[in-house]
Amino acid sequence: KDRILISLLFLMLFFFNSKSGIELKFLIALILGAILFLGKLKLYNSLLITVFPLVIILSIAFLSALIYFPHPYDFIKDLVHISTPIFGIFFGFYLTKSLNDKSQIFKMIILYCFLSAIIHIVTIFINVDGEWSTSYIRNIGGKGSDIEAFGYSLYIAFLRKKEYRVFSKRFNRLYFIVATLSILLYLSRTTFIAVLLFLISYYGLTQLNRKQIIYLFGVFTASIFFMVSLQFMDIKRGATGIESFLYKIKIAPQEIFNSDINVDDHTQLWDKWRAYEVKMALSTMDEKESIVPYATGLGLGSLVNLGFEAPLGAKRMQYIPHLHNGYAYVFFKSGLVGLMVMLVWIVYMYGYIYKSSPTFENKMFRRIISGFGLYLFFSTLVITGIYNLGVILSVLIGLILGLISYNGDVFSKVEK
């Protein structure tokens, strides 16, 4: 049974992190979550409390849609998208509950990250041709990886230690080298920040006291100084090498907050696209000339009017259902009520670090969930957070929640 389940997990990590459509991911998560649940026929408080805020956001968006009568296709597409994280968490949770040797979860996560890193590195070195730039390398190898950042941080903080080691020392050394190279080659601000946020959570630095506040203030000050310094550097948009990556960091605040652009200038448009999306979402809500959209959103199936046909991928689209800024996305679909629920949920996840733990293992799992909360606080701003079209984050949350609710020794079967 364990072999079947752990093989299923390995395959699903690849599938949920793939470019497959959200509809297929929803269907698989729903079916597998239901099968695993039927094997237990038991609901757990920790699971229900975690998914309840997501259910509230979905319910508000559902009811709001009844006011504005969206197109059925757009309604169903949003229904699938916003409910998928709920079933992803269910799948991960009940898979953990169904396993006897739960340490296998960490073995499969690291093994997946190792193979994913090798594929990423080989893909880049096979296809790279000529002088590289950040956009060129990212187009070849990918925009970033939540799960590789998670696995890498997990290894550094916990799994390299003797009491939690799930692989040999030789493999651990090889994994560290390969994973480090892969993380660097993503040239992704989000992935780098994910590693940082996960690590400071896993080491307990976010459990605030006087010492931790001093550390975090130092990191914050250094980051602000670095960002301000970049603004005075003459880095061109078309730069190559390391300068191209520094340019991406330099324009990060403009991408999110500066929506004052000329849509006919594609240079401005793509550099500030996230901010423009938010601006047009608010403009679409204004068109209703009512306070209701701000209270409960425009609901499932609502579309943001971009004001022009933007060349998005292979299509030109004027109306889009999805935003990069997850806070704006939840606000657009479920209003201020849904946004407040989302913020409470993220704070609740972060707050796991303050909960009492009977063992250090349990403390470790709580720090991991708290790390997800801290990461969601950031990633919701730039890549939609839990509502990202990849489902991997919700599956990982479900896996670790299952470990927290387990009273046994997870690593007791690991060879020391």
mmCIF file with all atom_site columns, all heavy atoms in Angstrom, residues 351-362:
data_model
loop_
_atom_site.group_PDB
_atom_site.id
_atom_site.type_symbol
_atom_site.label_atom_id
_atom_site.label_alt_id
_atom_site.label_comp_id
_atom_site.label_asym_id
_atom_site.label_entity_id
_atom_site.label_seq_id
_atom_site.pdbx_PDB_ins_code
_atom_site.Cartn_x
_atom_site.Cartn_y
_atom_site.Cartn_z
_atom_site.occupancy
_atom_site.B_iso_or_equiv
_atom_site.pdbx_formal_charge
_atom_site.auth_seq_id
_atom_site.auth_comp_id
_atom_site.auth_asym_id
_atom_site.auth_atom_id
_atom_site.pdbx_PDB_model_num
ATOM 1  N N   . GLY A 1 351 ? 0.703  31.908 11.879 1.00 0.00 ? 351 GLY A N   1
ATOM 2  C CA  . GLY A 1 351 ? 0.628  31.760 13.330 1.00 0.00 ? 351 GLY A CA  1
ATOM 3  C C   . GLY A 1 351 ? 0.908  30.363 13.841 1.00 0.00 ? 351 GLY A C   1
ATOM 4  O O   . GLY A 1 351 ? 1.026  30.160 15.064 1.00 0.00 ? 351 GLY A O   1
ATOM 5  N N   . TYR A 1 352 ? 1.069  29.376 12.949 1.00 0.00 ? 352 TYR A N   1
ATOM 6  C CA  . TYR A 1 352 ? 1.392  28.018 13.386 1.00 0.00 ? 352 TYR A CA  1
ATOM 7  C C   . TYR A 1 352 ? 2.696  27.965 14.171 1.00 0.00 ? 352 TYR A C   1
ATOM 8  O O   . TYR A 1 352 ? 2.895  27.073 14.998 1.00 0.00 ? 352 TYR A O   1
ATOM 9  C CB  . TYR A 1 352 ? 1.491  27.084 12.173 1.00 0.00 ? 352 TYR A CB  1
ATOM 10 C CG  . TYR A 1 352 ? 0.239  26.260 11.938 1.00 0.00 ? 352 TYR A CG  1
ATOM 11 C CD1 . TYR A 1 352 ? -0.811 26.760 11.173 1.00 0.00 ? 352 TYR A CD1 1
ATOM 12 C CD2 . TYR A 1 352 ? 0.113  24.983 12.469 1.00 0.00 ? 352 TYR A CD2 1
ATOM 13 C CE1 . TYR A 1 352 ? -1.957 26.022 10.944 1.00 0.00 ? 352 TYR A CE1 1
ATOM 14 C CE2 . TYR A 1 352 ? -1.028 24.224 12.253 1.00 0.00 ? 352 TYR A CE2 1
ATOM 15 C CZ  . TYR A 1 352 ? -2.065 24.749 11.489 1.00 0.00 ? 352 TYR A CZ  1
ATOM 16 O OH  . TYR A 1 352 ? -3.196 24.004 11.279 1.00 0.00 ? 352 TYR A OH  1
ATOM 17 N N   . ILE A 1 353 ? 3.590  28.902 13.935 1.00 0.00 ? 353 ILE A N   1
ATOM 18 C CA  . ILE A 1 353 ? 4.885  28.888 14.616 1.00 0.00 ? 353 ILE A CA  1
ATOM 19 C C   . ILE A 1 353 ? 4.740  29.168 16.106 1.00 0.00 ? 353 ILE A C   1
ATOM 20 O O   . ILE A 1 353 ? 5.609  28.838 16.910 1.00 0.00 ? 353 ILE A O   1
ATOM 21 C CB  . ILE A 1 353 ? 5.853  29.905 13.954 1.00 0.00 ? 353 ILE A CB  1
ATOM 22 C CG1 . ILE A 1 353 ? 7.297  29.580 14.323 1.00 0.00 ? 353 ILE A CG1 1
ATOM 23 C CG2 . ILE A 1 353 ? 5.492  31.344 14.339 1.00 0.00 ? 353 ILE A CG2 1
ATOM 24 C CD1 . ILE A 1 353 ? 8.316  30.355 13.517 1.00 0.00 ? 353 ILE A CD1 1
ATOM 25 N N   . TYR A 1 354 ? 3.616  29.762 16.499 1.00 0.00 ? 354 TYR A N   1
ATOM 26 C CA  . TYR A 1 354 ? 3.406  30.105 17.906 1.00 0.00 ? 354 TYR A CA  1
ATOM 27 C C   . TYR A 1 354 ? 2.650  29.016 18.667 1.00 0.00 ? 354 TYR A C   1
ATOM 28 O O   . TYR A 1 354 ? 2.490  29.110 19.884 1.00 0.00 ? 354 TYR A O   1
ATOM 29 C CB  . TYR A 1 354 ? 2.624  31.418 18.015 1.00 0.00 ? 354 TYR A CB  1
ATOM 30 C CG  . TYR A 1 354 ? 3.405  32.616 17.528 1.00 0.00 ? 354 TYR A CG  1
ATOM 31 C CD1 . TYR A 1 354 ? 3.184  33.153 16.262 1.00 0.00 ? 354 TYR A CD1 1
ATOM 32 C CD2 . TYR A 1 354 ? 4.384  33.207 18.330 1.00 0.00 ? 354 TYR A CD2 1
ATOM 33 C CE1 . TYR A 1 354 ? 3.900  34.252 15.817 1.00 0.00 ? 354 TYR A CE1 1
ATOM 34 C CE2 . TYR A 1 354 ? 5.111  34.303 17.885 1.00 0.00 ? 354 TYR A CE2 1
ATOM 35 C CZ  . TYR A 1 354 ? 4.865  34.814 16.620 1.00 0.00 ? 354 TYR A CZ  1
ATOM 36 O OH  . TYR A 1 354 ? 5.585  35.893 16.183 1.00 0.00 ? 354 TYR A OH  1
ATOM 37 N N   . LYS A 1 355 ? 2.171  27.977 17.964 1.00 0.00 ? 355 LYS A N   1
ATOM 38 C CA  . LYS A 1 355 ? 1.418  26.929 18.634 1.00 0.00 ? 355 LYS A CA  1
ATOM 39 C C   . LYS A 1 355 ? 2.360  25.977 19.368 1.00 0.00 ? 355 LYS A C   1
ATOM 40 O O   . LYS A 1 355 ? 3.457  25.681 18.892 1.00 0.00 ? 355 LYS A O   1
ATOM 41 C CB  . LYS A 1 355 ? 0.563  26.155 17.619 1.00 0.00 ? 355 LYS A CB  1
ATOM 42 C CG  . LYS A 1 355 ? -0.519 27.002 16.973 1.00 0.00 ? 355 LYS A CG  1
ATOM 43 C CD  . LYS A 1 355 ? -1.409 26.171 16.073 1.00 0.00 ? 355 LYS A CD  1
ATOM 44 C CE  . LYS A 1 355 ? -2.525 27.024 15.465 1.00 0.00 ? 355 LYS A CE  1
ATOM 45 N NZ  . LYS A 1 355 ? -3.447 26.227 14.626 1.00 0.00 ? 355 LYS A NZ  1
ATOM 46 N N   . SER A 1 356 ? 1.919  25.502 20.534 1.00 0.00 ? 356 SER A N   1
ATOM 47 C CA  . SER A 1 356 ? 2.746  24.591 21.326 1.00 0.00 ? 356 SER A CA  1
ATOM 48 C C   . SER A 1 356 ? 2.890  23.261 20.597 1.00 0.00 ? 356 SER A C   1
ATOM 49 O O   . SER A 1 356 ? 1.961  22.792 19.920 1.00 0.00 ? 356 SER A O   1
ATOM 50 C CB  . SER A 1 356 ? 2.112  24.353 22.699 1.00 0.00 ? 356 SER A CB  1
ATOM 51 O OG  . SER A 1 356 ? 0.813  23.804 22.577 1.00 0.00 ? 356 SER A OG  1
ATOM 52 N N   . SER A 1 357 ? 4.066  22.645 20.726 1.00 0.00 ? 357 SER A N   1
ATOM 53 C CA  . SER A 1 357 ? 4.361  21.392 20.039 1.00 0.00 ? 357 SER A CA  1
ATOM 54 C C   . SER A 1 357 ? 4.876  20.371 21.045 1.00 0.00 ? 357 SER A C   1
ATOM 55 O O   . SER A 1 357 ? 5.790  20.667 21.823 1.00 0.00 ? 357 SER A O   1
ATOM 56 C CB  . SER A 1 357 ? 5.409  21.617 18.948 1.00 0.00 ? 357 SER A CB  1
ATOM 57 O OG  . SER A 1 357 ? 4.991  22.630 18.052 1.00 0.00 ? 357 SER A OG  1
ATOM 58 N N   . PRO A 1 358 ? 4.324  19.143 21.048 1.00 0.00 ? 358 PRO A N   1
ATOM 59 C CA  . PRO A 1 358 ? 4.756  18.118 22.009 1.00 0.00 ? 358 PRO A CA  1
ATOM 60 C C   . PRO A 1 358 ? 6.150  17.577 21.724 1.00 0.00 ? 358 PRO A C   1
ATOM 61 O O   . PRO A 1 358 ? 6.832  17.099 22.619 1.00 0.00 ? 358 PRO A O   1
ATOM 62 C CB  . PRO A 1 358 ? 3.683  17.024 21.849 1.00 0.00 ? 358 PRO A CB  1
ATOM 63 C CG  . PRO A 1 358 ? 3.143  17.220 20.458 1.00 0.00 ? 358 PRO A CG  1
ATOM 64 C CD  . PRO A 1 358 ? 3.199  18.692 20.213 1.00 0.00 ? 358 PRO A CD  1
ATOM 65 N N   . THR A 1 359 ? 6.598  17.635 20.463 1.00 0.00 ? 359 THR A N   1
ATOM 66 C CA  . THR A 1 359 ? 7.918  17.125 20.089 1.00 0.00 ? 359 THR A CA  1
ATOM 67 C C   . THR A 1 359 ? 8.579  18.109 19.140 1.00 0.00 ? 359 THR A C   1
ATOM 68 O O   . THR A 1 359 ? 7.925  18.986 18.575 1.00 0.00 ? 359 THR A O   1
ATOM 69 C CB  . THR A 1 359 ? 7.804  15.757 19.373 1.00 0.00 ? 359 THR A CB  1
ATOM 70 O OG1 . THR A 1 359 ? 7.101  15.940 18.137 1.00 0.00 ? 359 THR A OG1 1
ATOM 71 C CG2 . THR A 1 359 ? 7.058  14.743 20.244 1.00 0.00 ? 359 THR A CG2 1
ATOM 72 N N   . PHE A 1 360 ? 9.904  17.929 18.946 1.00 0.00 ? 360 PHE A N   1
ATOM 73 C CA  . PHE A 1 360 ? 10.595 18.815 18.012 1.00 0.00 ? 360 PHE A CA  1
ATOM 74 C C   . PHE A 1 360 ? 10.139 18.531 16.583 1.00 0.00 ? 360 PHE A C   1
ATOM 75 O O   . PHE A 1 360 ? 10.088 19.441 15.755 1.00 0.00 ? 360 PHE A O   1
ATOM 76 C CB  . PHE A 1 360 ? 12.110 18.661 18.097 1.00 0.00 ? 360 PHE A CB  1
ATOM 77 C CG  . PHE A 1 360 ? 12.830 19.703 17.273 1.00 0.00 ? 360 PHE A CG  1
ATOM 78 C CD1 . PHE A 1 360 ? 13.001 20.983 17.749 1.00 0.00 ? 360 PHE A CD1 1
ATOM 79 C CD2 . PHE A 1 360 ? 13.289 19.407 15.987 1.00 0.00 ? 360 PHE A CD2 1
ATOM 80 C CE1 . PHE A 1 360 ? 13.630 21.961 16.982 1.00 0.00 ? 360 PHE A CE1 1
ATOM 81 C CE2 . PHE A 1 360 ? 13.916 20.364 15.212 1.00 0.00 ? 360 PHE A CE2 1
ATOM 82 C CZ  . PHE A 1 360 ? 14.093 21.644 15.719 1.00 0.00 ? 360 PHE A CZ  1
ATOM 83 N N   . GLU A 1 361 ? 9.810  17.272 16.296 1.00 0.00 ? 361 GLU A N   1
ATOM 84 C CA  . GLU A 1 361 ? 9.263  16.947 14.977 1.00 0.00 ? 361 GLU A CA  1
ATOM 85 C C   . GLU A 1 361 ? 8.016  17.771 14.696 1.00 0.00 ? 361 GLU A C   1
ATOM 86 O O   . GLU A 1 361 ? 7.856  18.351 13.629 1.00 0.00 ? 361 GLU A O   1
ATOM 87 C CB  . GLU A 1 361 ? 8.914  15.456 14.895 1.00 0.00 ? 361 GLU A CB  1
ATOM 88 C CG  . GLU A 1 361 ? 10.055 14.596 14.433 1.00 0.00 ? 361 GLU A CG  1
ATOM 89 C CD  . GLU A 1 361 ? 9.591  13.187 14.123 1.00 0.00 ? 361 GLU A CD  1
ATOM 90 O OE1 . GLU A 1 361 ? 8.370  12.971 14.018 1.00 0.00 ? 361 GLU A OE1 1
ATOM 91 O OE2 . GLU A 1 361 ? 10.439 12.311 13.964 1.00 0.00 ? 361 GLU A OE2 1
ATOM 92 N N   . ASN A 1 362 ? 7.111  17.809 15.678 1.00 0.00 ? 362 ASN A N   1
ATOM 93 C CA  . ASN A 1 362 ? 5.872  18.560 15.512 1.00 0.00 ? 362 ASN A CA  1
ATOM 94 C C   . ASN A 1 362 ? 6.161  20.046 15.357 1.00 0.00 ? 362 ASN A C   1
ATOM 95 O O   . ASN A 1 362 ? 5.516  20.736 14.558 1.00 0.00 ? 362 ASN A O   1
ATOM 96 C CB  . ASN A 1 362 ? 4.958  18.318 16.712 1.00 0.00 ? 362 ASN A CB  1
ATOM 97 C CG  . ASN A 1 362 ? 3.533  18.790 16.464 1.00 0.00 ? 362 ASN A CG  1
ATOM 98 O OD1 . ASN A 1 362 ? 3.183  19.920 16.771 1.00 0.00 ? 362 ASN A OD1 1
ATOM 99 N ND2 . ASN A 1 362 ? 2.718  17.927 15.874 1.00 0.00 ? 362 ASN A ND2 1
#
